[in-house]
Amino acid sequence: MEELKKKLFRNQTTGWEEVNEEEKKEINEVSKSYMDFLNKAKTEREFIKRAKELADSNGYKDIMTFETLKPGDKVYFINRKKSMYLAIIGENGVENGLHIIGSHVDSPRLDLKPNPLYEDGGLAYFKTHYYGGIKKYQWTTIPLSMHGVIVKTNGETIDIDIGENEDDPIFTITDLLPHLAQEQMEKKLKNGIDGEDLSLLIGSIPLKDGDKKVPEGVKLNILNILNQKYGITEQDLTSAELELVPAFKARTLGLDGSMIAAYGQDDKVCSYTSLHAMMELEHVKNTAVCILSDKEEIGSIGNTGMESHMFDFFISEILNKLGVNRPNLLDKVFCFSKMLSSDVDAGFDPLYASVSDKTNAGYIGRGISLNKYTGSRGKSGASDANAEYVAWVRNVLEKHNIRYQVAELGKVDIGGGGTIAYIIANKGADVIDCGVPVLSMHAPYEVTSKFDVYSAYKTYKAFWQE
Ligand code: MN
Ligand code: MN
């Protein structure tokens, strides 16, 4: 009977059971390079900067520097330093469609307001406005680092990166002591911390005029420090993008070393593994395209989000430079394309089992997770992959011996979510969601399994090699 079960049941064991020593080494190598990358790329701008370095050192060039293209050429386009598209021109040309893998490099965080600086009770603060879906209480009393740019009217850009080095100061948002929190503790969890109270503590020393006190002396002192260090005034903060992210490092989690705890794994775990896989490709049959998009966490809109026409421009540029373009070819190319929308999935959490359908949940450690459809309620807003395409993807995974699971985000009517899948599906391509299951998604510290990180890398590579 056991044999019959093994033959007929789907495999629901952990992937670790089948891992041999050699694979274990590979899993650890991929995980280590992923964690190192995460520590250097906490924001979308930093991710794209590092991705460009990787691409440049692997023979990729800006598509704008090419007059013509031919199979084997490796190109990229960087959109406003926040999103990037890469491609290897395939031997089959482009008329038969592209093999696209698309993920996003933005993650939930706190942004500074345009007029952030104020002083209250002898303390200086930066006001923030949260970005993406966060549980606000999770962002208080943790070390935060500040990343981003301040752009002056003369065009000069000042890069800010404070709080990652051990010698740097960090910042934090305070919370009320339990002794005085009776009223706060009665509130609903979502109202426990007010959005307007996510103010960042940044200083406490007032600037003095000889022996005389100066009104708003602490604020003045902060501006003086910023002016001496960066040559900026308070008004310069209005043309800045300063983002607060957890100052924690990516770390191995668990006594058995099987997991990764890190900020921003949604969706850098998929963008890094796809980028890493692409860097190892040389010649491909079908043109391989890697999308690293921005603004997914707030609906993929805007000129750096997936809804932007910048991506169409990139593909048109390829068609132009291959010398094959003609009216409506872009539409044809999309209609014949295949895509993996590589975004994270909710991992089954035994502590919160009630939100998941155990037979249809994604489990950490069981390999890459395919979501045939996303959406909420009656599949509203879903991008639903056709059975024929799911079978095609399964065949690729099984051919390459890659562990996978097919899952749903949660129980029916409990909630839901979406990715960039529908955007490319609307252009006519076959698309399926395909990513790494995560615990504590959108929290300052998210958890993944090293086995799944490795499975993602193998999946993306295999897909492009098809
Ligand atoms: Mn995501
Ligand atoms: Mn997300």
Side-chain angles (χ1 to χ4, degrees), residues 366-396:
R366 292 190 191 172
I368 192 88
S369 190
L370 305 178
N371 283 37
K372 184 177 180 300
Y373 48 83
T374 52
S376 48
R377 303 181 304 279
K379 298 193 181 179
S380 178
S383 173
D384 196 340
N386 299 299
E388 290 83 351
Y389 183 55
V390 182
W392 184 88
V393 173
R394 281 184 52 215
N395 181 47
V396 173

Side-chain angles (χ1 to χ4, degrees), residues 77-119:
F77 182 78
I78 294 176
N79 180 8
R80 295 176 173 87
K81 300 178 185 168
K82 294 178 181 176
S83 64
M84 183 172 183
Y85 321 113
L86 303 96
I88 305 177
I89 309 302
E91 308 294 338
N92 285 353
V94 283
E95 292 224 12
N96 302 321
L98 315 164
H99 280 200
I100 306 168
I101 298 180
S103 62
H104 65 95
V105 296
D106 60 318
S107 302
R109 59 174 194 255
L110 306 175
D111 288 342
L112 291 199
K113 288 194 181 189
N115 299 293
L117 183 59
Y118 73 101
E119 176 178 336

Side-chain angles (χ1 to χ4, degrees), residues 207-225:
L207 205 64
K208 278 168 59 177
D209 185 9
D211 278 345
K212 272 193 291 177
K213 267 192 174 176
V214 181
E216 294 193 286
V218 184
K219 172 177 167 175
L220 185 60
N221 190 38
I222 291 290
L223 279 174
N224 201 34
I225 291 167

Side-chain angles (χ1 to χ4, degrees), residues 287-342:
T287 296
V289 176
C290 180
I291 300 172
L292 306 171
S293 74
D294 180 33
K295 295 289 186 285
E296 195 276 345
E297 296 295 356
I298 57 167
S300 296
I301 34 75
N303 58 18
T304 58
M306 198 61 238
E307 298 266 21
S308 157
H309 287 223
M310 293 301 285
F311 180 59
D312 296 16
F313 156 74
F314 175 67
I315 303 301
S316 296
E317 201 63 5
I318 290 177
L319 301 181
N320 289 333
K321 292 185 171 173
L322 281 170
V324 297
N325 212 356
R326 58 178 192 271
N328 304 324
L329 182 59
L330 183 65
D331 289 337
K332 183 182 173 192
V333 168
F334 282 134
C335 290
F336 287 88
S337 289
K338 292 184 168 68
M339 182 194 191
L340 299 180
S341 166
S342 53

Side-chain angles (χ1 to χ4, degrees), residues 126-147:
F126 272 155
K127 292 188 177 201
T128 71
H129 196 137
Y130 66 95
Y131 172 96
I134 64 163
K135 289 167 138 181
K136 295 180 201 92
Y137 69 88
Q138 293 178 334
W139 293 74
T140 63
T141 67
I142 59 168
L144 295 166
S145 55
M146 195 182 302
H147 302 242

